Amino acid sequence: MIDSYLEATGFPVDQVKTVICLLLSYPFAAILKKLPNANLKHIMNICLGVFYCTWSLGEWSWLHSFISSLISYGLLMVIPNRYKPQLIVFAFCLGYLSISHIYRIYTDYMGWTLDFTGPQMILTLKLTSFAWNLHDGSKADNELSDDQKRRSIKKLPTLLEFFGFVYFFPTFLAGPTLEITDYLNYTSGKMFQVGQLNGKAPSSLLPALKTLGLGLLMFPFVVLSGQYPVVYLSTNEFRYEPLLYKLIKLHIFVVLSRFRYYFGWYMSEGSAVLSGIGFNGFEKDGVTMKWDRITNVYPLSVELASNVRDVSNNWNIGTSDWLKRYVYLRLTPAGAKPTFFATLATYTISAFWHGFYPGYYIFFVACTLLTEVAKDMRRKIRPYFVKQNGDVAIQTPLKTVYDIVGSICCVWWLSFFGASFIFLNIERSIHLWNTFSYIPIIILFVTFILLRFVLPTPRSTPRPTKKTN
């Protein structure tokens, strides 16, 4: 019966239910924070996580998260370290998610209906990072980086702790991902054994309300994005508009499509902050508290980025950090420079994580090229605008122009290829490319070839040698 009332809102019922769950997480997060011991927190997380999944995504949808989590836990419990259980869990989780994506394509081709695959994507990040954290805990400290030591765990948590981590309700539906060490430190109170807190979680009402406010501020743009769908960019009507209009509209339409992500992530983050888990220590003054432990996006930094790296560092931060820590750096030996293969493999895993529509692969292959072009630009072009005098970098008067042009090129090309990410299929992408006579693609490939194989690297100014007596 409730579904009939929700249909009256004019929005898809699955999306309305998800938003209701995100809003309910605020009062529930306040209760979670007040529970007197860790076991009660685990139980509440499990109960609400399963309820959210059942009510908003389908009666038996929770079984996917339960079964895949239980199998991952079992693999880590029985497989000896010499057989690399972290890689087996990684392959299993990515394989389970891949089969889920294929099933979704079969049952809801090109659809945007919310189902169990959304939480499963987040859970894949949690389970694979958990496996690596346990693996790192079995190694000597001198074999680990400081970041790996901080995230490592020495033994398997109990099943109650583990499933509390799996179903942590503030972030279960919309993310972002969560590290097992952060969750256990939060539920045990260890996270708050700093400064003057003495183990007591500080008030998080104001930072939570601020994040909630940012989320609500995004909602009108979510509605507006429905009025200007990206699919319009693949129509003949768009094709025959004036060139300037096409350049502007393409970027604006793709930008608007991102606001539904901003909205969901802010709403989810706000309840997590209210629960206390967003606490991330103090600023340098030792007094001002930071609440950005699970911040997942900085919209202005994304929209005004000057290169692809800045976008990835500020967009879907939880997933970007997972790709960096558990894919990119794991493929890069200590002390070595990251290779083109590491970059390509990272984007390929990211594409697999998203699913199997061609649009995803178009986008991530393009991002690989854009990333490599950005590296070469910084190495071969930027020195003409920033002169190095010993340890001092001196900007030329044209450095501002370089930055502005770089930002415009970065955000527009990302929008151009980002449209494919939203189109999903290849036919619409080809239609858009044909609309621009394939010129953006040609420019990208030519620029890559020129920078990588033709233009020389400028000679750096030698640093002055120190005189010795």
Side-chain angles (χ1 to χ4, degrees), residues 9 30 44 50 68-69 94 187 191 219 243 247 250 256 286 292 317 320 331 380 415 448 451 459:
T9 63
M44 184 176 182
V50 171
S68 57
S69 298
L94 202 60
T187 54
M191 179 180 288
F219 187 71
L243 177 60
L247 293 172
L250 185 146
L256 284 174
D292 59 353
I317 295 170
S320 296
L331 292 172
K380 295 185 175 183
S415 293
F448 173 73
L451 290 173
R459 292 184 179 182

Side-chain angles (χ1 to χ4, degrees), residues 312-363:
S312 62
N313 287 342
N314 293 286
W315 164 267
N316 202 355
I317 295 170
T319 303
S320 296
D321 286 348
W322 175 80
L323 287 166
K324 178 181 178 181
R325 291 191 181 99
Y326 305 112
V327 181
Y328 189 68
L329 293 179
R330 303 286 173 166
L331 292 172
T332 305
K337 289 185 177 181
T339 63
F340 178 81
F341 171 76
T343 301
L344 182 61
T346 301
Y347 280 121
T348 301
I349 292 293
S350 182
F352 267 70
W353 180 75
H354 282 88
F356 294 98
Y357 285 111
Y360 297 146
Y361 296 85
I362 291 169
F363 177 72

Side-chain angles (χ1 to χ4, degrees), residues 61 64-65 68 92-108 115-121 124 352-357:
S61 58
H64 292 280
S65 53
S68 57
F92 164 72
C93 290
L94 202 60
Y96 193 100
L97 180 62
S98 296
I99 293 171
S100 301
H101 282 314
I102 292 170
Y103 173 79
R104 177 183 171 88
I105 291 173
Y106 178 73
T107 58
D108 188 28
D115 67 358
F116 74 92
T117 56
Q120 196 68 33
M121 291 172 71
T124 298
F352 267 70
W353 180 75
H354 282 88
F356 294 98
Y357 285 111

